[in-house]
Amino acid sequence: MSRILNHRMRLSLRKPSWSCVDKRAVAFSVWTGRSVLLHKPLDSYQIPRRKYGMLIARAVRGVLKIRYLLLGGAVGGGMTLNKKYAEWKDGLPEMGWLNDLLPDNEQWEKFTTTLLDAKGKIGDQLQIDPRLREAGAARAAELRDWLSQRYEDAVAAAAVNNATSSIEPAPKIVNNLQSRPAPMSAKPNTDEKEAYERRVHALQEEVLSLQARYQRELQRLEQENRELRQQNMLLRQGRQPSTKKMRRSLIDMYSAVLDELADWDSGEAGRLPRVVVVGDQSAGKTSVLEMLAQARIFPRGAGEMCTRAPVKVTLSEGPYHVAQFNDSSREFDLNKESDLADLRKEVELRMRNSVRGGRTVSTQQIAMSVKGPGIPRMVLVDLPGVISTQTVDMAADTREAIKEMTKQYMDNPNAIILCIQDGSVDAERSNVTDLVSSCDPSGKRTIFVLTKVDLAEENLANPNRIRRILEGKLFPMKALGYYAVVTGRSRKDDSIQSIREYEERFFRSSKLFKDGMVAAGQVTTRNLALGVAECFWRMVRDSVEQQADAFKAMRFNLESEWKNTFPRQRELDRDELFERARAELLDKSAELSGVPAAAWEARLQNALWAAAAQRIFAGIYLPAAANASDDVDKFNTSVDIKLREWAENELATLSIQAGRQALREEFSELMSKSSDSDAIYDPVKKAAVDEALARHQWEERAQDVLRVLQVNALQDRCVASRAEWDSAVSLMEDALKERLKLTEDELKSLTGPGFRDRWLYWQSSNEEQNRRAEVKSELERLGSNRPSLTYDEVVAVRDNLRRRGVEVDNEYIRQTWKPIYLKHFLNRALSRARDCRKSFYLYTQQNGTGKECCEVVMFWRVQSALRTTANALRQQIGNREAGRLDRELREVLDEMSSDPELKKKLLSGRRVELAEELKRVRQVQEKLEEFIEALNKEK
């Protein structure tokens, strides 16, 4: 090969005229931009054969030099160079067509003269910048040196190859380009273009595949790096890695802080970062969140509002793909379809339970956590979709309530707004972009996500519209980043893996990606997850220290207020106060069994008499005395009948009610005896006791036992001792005096104040009282020793009053007569009771058959029945009812302890509120400090 090249070079040196012609042709091409070979028809050129050899040799030398340079740079020598040389040899073109293209000597002379004249004229008018000339010369020299070096390397490699392969003959250059079609044909260009496009598409798919593999590998390495760094830190401290501590991840600690602040009323509470997912209804918010969680965890509805309350989802890494509600211990295995269905039902049930009072949406937050391999760590809040039109089955304020709730979450200056926009609908129909722009006008914490891009590409006639959206040039809002995702094909039963594969296939073949409208980092939910997680943790690191300082200052202010306002009291929150009240109540309940029997019976007798007094007077004593008309036998018979009816029908039930009232009074007295008890506990104690007594039901058989005892006690008419006689007389006198006092008060209210009250206390009567006084005066003239008036007496009284100018009817006169007669009767009965106090001896002499003091005997029978009832009730309380009441009291207290609203109602005031706030601030501060410490260790 070297001998051939040297021979061709010697031939070229013998004919310097052709070198000049070659140089002139090149110069002509440079100045005119046209090839000199195409100025005349091919058959018009004639050139001697002896001049063709030099030109062909020069062309062959240049081609061989270039090929050797390429081959020398691509291979290291040896067999590889030999293989490449054989392939190059077969591809050499046929050089015979050059004879028809090159001009003859006369034509070259004419062309050279014309070219030199043109060069002189142009050179006079065009001055080249000397700096460009120097730069070009330097660049040309550098290129010449490089080509020379490569040529020498290729020649040396060929020489080595010839020496090592002497068995094989030297390769012969063969011209095989004659079979190729004409270079002016259009078909090869078309084939090359299609081949180029196929190659570009294949490269794009390879880029996406490599990017997906890179992301998965990066996530795996990051997880391993974190675990190794944590174990290394523990080993440096001389400790073994604790499994219990490693289970509590960083994102779980941060989520616990957010849970503490869920219902916080202070403005500092909502300033911790979280990702707020907002968008129009059915824009794909829930689907994006499910793609991030890698599970279909939310219920679906055909055209119906599904998200009715905020759902806080804490995403974190874990060995198993599980979900769990914060207030439940059950874990749902997201790899099982049955658990997924149960989880969706539970989410739907909690949403419906949170909506009360006829409302469509609720502000009550549902908190859950999702863990699994490769899940990004962040906290997201899925909000109800913004609507533009309310349907008839929605509450009247649904649209404004959703906007207000969305705005409240987005107003947090550290919240990351994940704005979801449906790409398959017109941009002009969006309701959420203006709302996002008003909360974050600069776009420093907004990430825009365009969903349903597959439908958008299929339906939109102008794909450039999608490019403008993803460049932030279509919507009136700014954002940190713009992403395009595909979250399904409108199929409920599609798995997350199938959706992800469909998304990756779509973007590989999408015109958006092929035409360069969308960058590779702006597509797929994988890139979205990485971008949102990075932004979330960056904002957390930037703001958590400031929030911790704010809570530290808040704690200092609250502690100072407590020391100045309640210096001698402990900082007991609502739960601690309730537990103290509960302990005191249960202690007092245990003391019921220690109350003396005499105290119980005295209290029970008083409760029984208070409950039965009205029935004894109005239903037994007064009717019997009115019907008897001083007939003792008739009075006793009537009393016997009425007492038996009362005992069989009413007395047992009345006794149970009295027993419950005695329990209440005894309980209240026991509680009032504790002098060291705090008054703040009283509402809790009273509410618990009232509810326990309201639930407390006396044993049913107790009424039957009481009824038998009461009937037997009322049948006995023989007073056995003087003490019992005197006790019955005292009961009768007390009862008559009490009744007489009530009757006099009634008369006074009817007739007005008397002479003494008018003169001493300056009291006066109204017109009605004066009329009653006139009727009373007229009736007293008739006498008040009969229980009722006859018709003639009523007419006489009415006529007398008419003559005095007082107009009344008959019923008015009878109503006035009743208290007048009752007063007269009670005075007479009280007089008889005083007389009967000394008649016990006479009663014993008559062996109980005396009729003078039958009223005392009636009261003794009632007293004996009530005493027997009180004794039976005391035994029932001591044996069974006190224990049953204690159990019911415990149940009531347990229910009250699980009702925060009731405890807040019963335990209120600045002391309680201050202690509650101080407790919560301390808890938040401690969790924040723990989280910051773990965050710094992870750094």
Side-chain angles (χ1 to χ4, degrees):
M1 177 62 67
S2 60
R3 290 195 298 270
I4 293 173
L5 292 176
N6 294 331
H7 178 68
R8 296 304 182 187
M9 291 176 65
R10 286 194 298 271
L11 290 177
S12 63
L13 294 174
R14 291 177 183 176
K15 300 295 180 180
S17 60
W18 280 104
S19 299
C20 297
V21 172
D22 190 15
K23 293 180 180 179
R24 292 171 182 176
V26 172
F28 177 79
S29 299
V30 170
W31 289 111
T32 62
R34 299 174 58 188
S35 176
V36 71
L37 302 180
L38 299 180
H39 274 276
K40 291 184 179 182
L42 298 179
D43 55 358
S44 61
Y45 293 95
Q46 296 180 0
I47 184 168
R49 288 290 181 179
R50 60 186 181 83
K51 297 182 179 181
Y52 293 162
M54 182 178 63
L55 182 61
I56 293 173
R58 184 180 297 276
V60 170
R61 186 192 64 178
V63 171
L64 291 176
K65 185 176 181 179
I66 294 173
R67 293 292 183 175
Y68 269 112
L69 290 175
L70 294 175
L71 292 175
V75 297
M79 296 302 296
T80 304
L81 182 61
N82 187 23
K83 182 179 179 181
K84 293 294 182 179
Y85 176 78
E87 293 176 357
W88 165 82
K89 177 190 67 175
D90 295 337
L92 284 176
E94 173 63 30
M95 309 303 290
W97 53 273
L98 291 175
N99 296 332
D100 300 328
L101 295 178
L102 294 177
D104 55 9
N105 294 332
E106 296 179 0
Q107 293 170 347
W108 273 117
E109 291 294 337
K110 295 179 181 180
F111 172 71
T112 303
T113 304
T114 305
L115 184 62
L116 291 176
D117 294 340
K119 178 180 178 182
K121 294 179 181 179
I122 295 173
D124 295 337
Q125 299 177 1
L126 181 64
Q127 296 296 330
I128 300 176
D129 191 347
R131 292 176 297 177
L132 295 178
R133 187 182 297 108
E134 294 175 0
R139 183 63 178 170
E142 182 181 355
L143 181 60
R144 190 186 308 108
D145 296 339
W146 182 84
L147 291 174
S148 300
Q149 183 64 35
R150 300 295 291 176
Y151 172 74
E152 293 175 0
D153 294 340
V155 171
V160 173
N161 184 30
N162 291 332
T164 56
S165 57
S166 59
I167 300 175
E168 297 181 1
K172 184 179 181 180
I173 300 176
V174 179
N175 213 342
N176 59 355
L177 209 70
Q178 294 178 354
S179 60
R180 287 194 175 186
M184 299 299 294
S185 177
K187 185 175 180 180
N189 295 336
T190 304
D191 295 340
E192 292 177 0
K193 184 177 181 181
E194 292 177 355
Y196 173 77
E197 291 179 354
R198 287 195 298 270
R199 184 179 179 184
V200 169
H201 295 169
L203 289 175
Q204 289 175 346
E205 293 180 2
E206 185 178 359
V207 167
L208 284 177
S209 301
L210 289 174
Q211 185 180 14
R213 288 168 51 193
Y214 166 75
Q215 290 176 352
R216 289 193 293 268
E217 187 68 16
L218 183 62
Q219 292 175 358
R220 185 182 66 80
L221 293 175
E222 286 180 352
Q223 174 66 16
E224 294 179 357
N225 188 25
R226 282 194 294 269
E227 295 176 357
L228 291 174
R229 187 163 54 242
Q230 187 173 5
Q231 294 179 5
N232 185 26
M233 187 179 300
L234 294 176
L235 291 174
R236 286 181 180 179
Q237 297 174 359
R239 295 182 296 158
Q240 292 296 328
S242 175
T243 306
K244 184 176 181 181
K245 290 185 178 180
M246 291 179 65
R247 286 178 183 173
R248 185 172 175 81
S249 64
L250 193 64
I251 190 64
D252 291 335
M253 297 167 63
Y254 183 76
S255 179
V257 177
L258 293 181
D259 291 337
E260 286 289 335
L261 301 174
D263 300 325
W264 195 275
D265 296 331
S266 174
E268 298 293 333
R271 295 185 179 275
L272 288 176
R274 69 205 75 183
V275 181
V276 181
V277 186
V278 299
D280 298 328
Q281 185 178 356
S282 302
K285 305 186 310 328
T286 303
S287 299
V288 171
L289 200 152
E290 286 180 339
M291 292 295 290
L292 296 178
Q294 301 181 12
R296 308 297 292 269
I297 59 178
F298 291 106
R300 290 291 190 275
E304 182 182 358
M305 179 182 294
C306 296
T307 307
R308 298 177 177 269
V311 182
K312 183 176 78 70
V313 183
T314 302
L315 302 180
S316 60
E317 292 177 312
Y320 306 105
H321 201 188
V322 296
Q324 183 179 4
F325 291 97
N326 289 10
D327 57 354
S328 175
S329 59
R330 178 184 177 183
E331 282 191 348
F332 298 87
D333 189 352
L334 300 183
N335 294 321
K336 296 181 179 179
E337 189 59 36
S338 58
D339 281 19
L340 270 174
D342 293 343
L343 177 61
R344 289 192 289 265
K345 290 179 181 178
E346 182 68 18
V347 172
E348 185 176 5
L349 179 62
R350 288 173 178 257
M351 283 189 180
R352 295 191 180 277
N353 291 337
S354 66
V355 180
R356 298 173 183 173
R359 301 183 64 85
T360 306
V361 295
S362 170
T363 57
Q364 181 179 348
Q365 191 178 88
I366 301 173
M368 63 186 301
S369 61
V370 177
K371 299 180 180 180
I375 294 181
R377 302 179 302 164
M378 68 182 84
V379 178
L380 302 101
V381 181
D382 186 21
L383 298 177
V386 179
I387 61 176
S388 57
T389 304
Q390 294 181 178
T391 57
V392 294
D393 56 347
M394 293 183 180
D397 61 341
T398 301
R399 181 172 58 184
E400 295 301 324
I402 294 175
K403 286 186 178 180
E404 186 64 27
M405 184 196 312
T406 305
K407 194 172 184 301
Q408 181 180 0
Y409 275 89
M410 291 192 302
D411 281 340
N412 174 13
N414 294 323
I416 301 171
I417 304 173
L418 198 62
C419 181
I420 310 297
Q421 175 62 34
D422 188 351
S424 63
V425 300
D426 296 333
E428 292 79 9
R429 295 168 56 184
S430 175
N431 297 305
V432 74
T433 51
D434 292 338
L435 194 61
V436 172
S437 180
S438 64
C439 295
D440 184 24
S442 60
K444 293 182 179 179
R445 51 189 181 88
T446 301
I447 297 177
F448 184 87
V449 182
L450 188 67
T451 61
K452 306 179 184 179
V453 184
D454 52 345
L455 300 179
E457 187 181 50
E458 181 180 351
N459 299 332
L460 289 180
N462 183 15
N464 191 49
R465 191 175 179 88
I466 299 179
R467 180 185 60 79
R468 293 182 61 199
I469 292 176
L470 297 177
E471 289 179 355
K473 297 179 180 179
L474 189 60
F475 287 104
M477 57 172 289
K478 299 179 181 179
L480 281 173
Y482 297 84
Y483 291 89
V485 298
V486 176
T487 56
R489 291 169 287 181
S490 301
R491 300 177 185 174
K492 294 183 180 180
D493 54 349
D494 281 352
S495 65
I496 294 297
Q497 184 62 28
S498 63
I499 295 175
R500 182 167 293 173
E501 292 175 356
Y502 169 73
E503 181 186 40
E504 292 179 356
R505 288 197 306 271
F506 167 77
F507 282 114
R508 288 196 196 105
S509 59
S510 173
K511 296 179 181 178
L512 300 174
F513 186 77
K514 291 180 180 179
D515 297 342
M517 294 185 181
V518 181
Q522 287 186 276
V523 297
T524 71
T525 50
R526 293 183 185 272
N527 290 332
L528 173 64
L530 293 175
V532 175
E534 181 183 358
C535 182
F536 171 77
W537 285 106
R538 183 174 64 251
M539 193 159 290
V540 167
R541 292 186 178 93
D542 292 343
S543 61
V544 69
E545 295 280 356
Q546 180 180 359
Q547 298 303 313
D549 294 340
F551 278 101
K552 187 181 297 184
M554 189 185 304
R555 174 179 178 177
F556 176 78
N557 295 335
L558 292 175
E559 288 177 347
S560 300
E561 182 180 356
W562 180 274
K563 291 178 182 179
N564 296 329
T565 309
F566 309 102
R568 299 182 180 179
Q569 293 177 343
R570 291 183 58 192
E571 302 169 1
L572 300 178
D573 59 11
R574 189 171 280 111
D575 292 335
E576 293 172 337
L577 291 173
F578 179 82
E579 291 301 324
R580 287 204 166 196
R582 173 178 182 162
E584 288 190 12
L585 270 177
L586 295 179
D587 291 342
K588 297 303 178 183
S589 178
E591 293 181 9
L592 283 176
S593 58
V595 177
W600 266 122
E601 292 190 6
R603 185 177 297 281
L604 287 168
Q605 287 183 28
N606 293 333
L608 287 168
W609 175 252
Q614 177 64 23
R615 181 71 175 88
I616 292 171
F617 266 98
I620 300 174
Y621 181 47
L622 293 180
N627 295 332
S629 300
D630 296 334
D631 187 345
V632 177
D633 294 334
K634 190 175 181 180
F635 174 80
N636 289 334
T637 302
S638 179
V639 167
D640 289 342
I641 295 172
K642 292 182 180 299
L643 284 177
R644 187 174 184 84
E645 291 177 354
W646 180 51
E648 292 179 351
N649 300 328
E650 303 177 17
L651 184 54
T653 304
L654 192 68
S655 301
I656 298 298
Q657 295 176 358
R660 295 173 63 186
Q661 181 62 28
L663 268 177
R664 182 189 299 273
E665 292 176 355
E666 187 66 32
F667 219 150
S668 300
E669 187 173 334
L670 285 174
M671 288 190 295
S672 63
K673 288 181 180 179
S674 51
S675 58
D676 57 342
S677 179
D678 198 334
I680 200 171
Y681 307 142
D682 292 344
V684 177
K685 295 179 180 178
K686 186 178 183 304
V689 171
D690 291 346
E691 182 63 23
L693 289 174
R695 297 183 184 183
H696 179 68
Q697 298 294 331
W698 222 276
E699 286 186 342
E700 294 182 0
R701 62 177 184 174
Q703 292 190 10
D704 299 333
V705 174
L706 289 176
R707 188 176 295 109
V708 173
L709 294 175
Q710 290 164 352
V711 170
N712 294 333
L714 289 173
Q715 288 178 352
D716 189 6
R717 300 182 182 178
C718 182
V719 183
S721 64
R722 179 61 183 264
E724 293 180 355
W725 181 270
D726 291 342
S727 177
V729 172
S730 298
L731 177 62
M732 180 178 176
E733 287 181 347
D734 293 341
L736 291 173
K737 289 178 181 178
E738 182 180 0
R739 191 69 180 183
L740 180 60
K741 179 70 170 55
L742 294 176
T743 304
E744 290 177 347
D745 292 341
E746 182 182 1
L747 273 175
K748 185 177 180 180
S749 64
L750 291 175
T751 60
F755 178 80
R756 180 172 176 273
D757 293 335
R758 285 198 299 268
W759 283 96
L760 292 179
Y761 301 105
W762 294 85
Q763 296 179 357
S764 60
S765 304
N766 54 31
E767 184 178 355
E768 176 63 23
Q769 291 175 342
N770 292 331
R771 185 162 51 250
R772 289 282 187 182
E774 292 291 341
V775 176
K776 174 188 175 186
S777 177
E778 188 63 29
L779 290 173
E780 287 177 347
R781 292 193 184 96
L782 295 176
S784 54
N785 55 351
R786 48 194 179 280
S788 61
L789 298 174
T790 62
Y791 178 74
D792 294 338
E793 291 174 339
V794 173
V795 171
V797 171
R798 187 185 62 187
D799 292 340
N800 293 335
L801 291 173
R802 184 180 294 115
R803 295 189 189 98
R804 292 158 56 180
V806 179
E807 290 289 340
V808 292
D809 56 7
N810 295 346
E811 186 63 26
Y812 191 87
I813 295 172
R814 288 192 175 94
Q815 289 179 356
T816 308
W817 171 256
K818 290 179 181 180
I820 295 174
Y821 166 74
L822 184 57
K823 180 182 177 181
H824 174 74
F825 173 80
L826 292 174
N827 284 324
R828 287 175 55 197
L830 188 58
S831 178
R832 289 195 299 271
R834 294 191 187 99
D835 295 339
C836 288
R837 184 177 290 277
K838 302 177 182 179
S839 302
F840 178 73
Y841 179 77
L842 180 61
Y843 173 81
T844 57
Q845 292 298 322
Q846 296 176 354
N847 297 323
T849 60
K851 301 179 181 179
E852 291 80 5
C853 294
C854 58
E855 297 169 320
V856 176
V857 176
M858 187 206 78
F859 275 96
W860 177 82
R861 294 168 66 185
V862 171
Q863 187 181 43
S864 178
L866 296 181
R867 187 182 295 113
T868 302
T869 303
N871 185 34
L873 288 174
R874 176 189 61 80
Q875 293 178 2
Q876 292 176 1
I877 290 172
N879 295 336
R880 293 180 298 276
E881 302 305 327
R884 295 178 63 231
L885 179 62
D886 183 73
R887 290 193 298 272
E888 289 164 353
L889 183 61
R890 290 177 183 272
E891 292 177 0
V892 170
L893 290 171
D894 290 340
E895 294 177 4
M896 292 174 65
S897 64
S898 60
D899 190 351
E901 294 299 327
L902 181 59
K903 288 194 293 186
K904 188 174 182 179
K905 179 181 178 181
L906 297 176
L907 295 170
S908 58
R910 182 55 186 166
R911 171 184 167 187
V912 182
E913 299 298 333
L914 186 59
E916 280 285 306
E917 195 172 0
L918 187 55
K919 174 187 175 183
R920 295 187 63 185
V921 168
R922 286 173 176 167
Q923 291 177 348
V924 173
Q925 184 190 358
E926 291 173 358
K927 291 186 176 181
L928 268 176
E929 291 177 351
E930 181 183 3
F931 170 74
I932 293 173
E933 181 180 359
L935 185 64
N936 294 332
K937 288 181 179 179
E938 187 179 76
K939 290 180 181 179

